[in-house]
Amino acid sequence: MATKKKVITKDDIVSKYMEEVLEKGQKPKSVYHFAKENDFTEAEFYAFFGTLEGLEKEIFRLFFENTVNLLHKNEEYQGYDMKNKMLSFYFTFFEILTANRSYVLQSLKIDRNPLKNLVQLTTLRNSFKEYVSEILTDDYRLEQEKFQKFQEKAIQESSWLQLMLTIKFWMEDESPAFEKTDIFIEKSVNASFELMNVAPMNHLIDFGKFLFKEKVYSR
């Protein structure tokens, strides 16, 4: 009696891809070669991913998803303010990256063109920006509604840049247990939230509105 072939899952494909990149030091040439060498069909691959590039992006998105899932399992997390939620995200996210450090380093350095390597992070970027928007609280939101949309986009983009800088620092960190990265995270997040203090900006906008009214109505 023939044994029934195991059903390939999304997680199986992700795991096999990461293993192949690590063992061979390069990406598979095509979906055909990747599927053939790992004993599943192209059709099984395409049931979950449209391209190998899509699979690469999904791996980093899964790092993000696992981070958020772990955070939501912590009952105390829901009561945190925005800064502490961000700190919790960073520490959890980099624990997951560290658990997969060999793959992350290999995949983000595999192409000579750094921009091609960073394409893998586009889905992570979108997910992270949504996360920043979700945890943004009124403490860091301008009172004037017409400026809020611009402000939110600015916070999302600056937060993404900060995450990218932290990833770069972590990739180059040679300290035991990556303790320098922990220090970098704490100091950079604290500094960014100091810069996000909206009270001075609200005062400047109010002052600008006052000057505008004075100039218009004093004529």
Side-chain angles (χ1 to χ4, degrees):
M1 183 177 178
T3 56
K4 189 175 180 181
K5 185 181 176 183
K6 179 190 172 186
V7 176
I8 194 85
T9 66
K10 181 179 179 180
D11 288 343
D12 291 332
I13 293 175
V14 167
S15 179
K16 289 177 184 295
Y17 183 84
M18 292 174 70
E19 285 176 13
E20 182 158 333
V21 169
L22 285 172
E23 290 175 2
K24 297 188 176 180
Q26 61 183 15
K27 302 175 183 179
K29 293 180 180 178
S30 66
V31 172
Y32 169 79
H33 284 96
F34 175 51
K36 185 176 180 181
E37 291 185 8
N38 289 279
D39 196 29
F40 60 88
T41 67
E42 288 184 78
E44 288 175 309
F45 177 91
Y46 289 124
F48 301 105
F49 307 102
T51 61
L52 289 174
E53 290 74 20
L55 168 55
E56 291 168 352
K57 293 176 184 178
E58 178 64 8
I59 290 171
F60 282 93
R61 193 199 68 80
L62 286 172
F63 292 157
F64 170 85
E65 184 180 272
N66 292 340
T67 299
V68 174
N69 287 341
L70 285 171
L71 290 174
H72 284 290
K73 287 180 181 178
N74 181 358
E75 293 181 2
E76 294 181 359
Y77 171 80
Q78 300 302 332
Y80 290 166
D81 59 16
M82 184 181 175
K83 185 173 82 169
N84 282 305
K85 281 184 177 179
M86 187 66 80
L87 280 169
S88 297
F89 172 87
Y90 264 89
F91 287 125
T92 306
F93 183 68
F94 279 91
E95 280 182 15
I96 290 174
L97 288 193
T98 298
N100 297 277
R101 183 175 173 85
S102 295
Y103 173 79
V104 175
L105 294 182
Q106 180 80 359
S107 63
L108 292 182
K109 293 179 178 179
I110 208 164
D111 199 294
R112 290 182 180 179
N113 184 345
L115 293 177
K116 287 187 177 180
N117 293 322
L118 293 179
V119 168
Q120 299 174 72
L121 304 181
T122 53
T123 307
L124 168 64
R125 178 176 180 271
N126 294 335
S127 297
F128 180 70
K129 285 171 65 178
E130 288 178 11
Y131 172 77
V132 171
S133 181
E134 287 171 6
I135 67 171
L136 182 61
T137 61
D138 290 340
D139 293 336
Y140 299 98
R141 201 186 297 274
L142 291 171
E143 294 173 2
Q144 287 73 16
E145 288 186 17
K146 64 181 179 179
F147 291 105
Q148 285 181 4
K149 193 170 183 180
F150 171 80
Q151 180 209 21
E152 185 169 318
K153 286 184 178 180
I155 290 174
Q156 287 177 330
E157 293 298 339
S158 61
S159 296
W160 170 247
L161 177 61
Q162 183 178 11
L163 181 61
M164 292 288 288
L165 291 172
T166 310
I167 289 174
K168 184 177 186 301
F169 186 94
W170 170 81
M171 289 175 68
E172 297 171 355
D173 188 3
E174 298 178 354
S175 64
F178 308 105
E179 57 190 22
K180 287 185 179 179
T181 297
D182 288 345
I183 296 170
F184 182 91
I185 287 171
E186 191 161 358
K187 289 186 178 297
S188 64
V189 170
N190 284 335
S192 68
F193 275 83
E194 285 295 320
L195 292 172
M196 280 170 57
N197 183 5
V198 299
M201 184 61 71
N202 278 323
H203 292 321
L204 282 173
I205 292 172
D206 286 339
F207 181 56
K209 286 166 67 178
F210 167 77
L211 289 178
F212 176 77
K213 286 179 182 179
E214 285 296 305
K215 291 191 84 174
V216 170
Y217 294 112
S218 61
R219 290 178 181 177

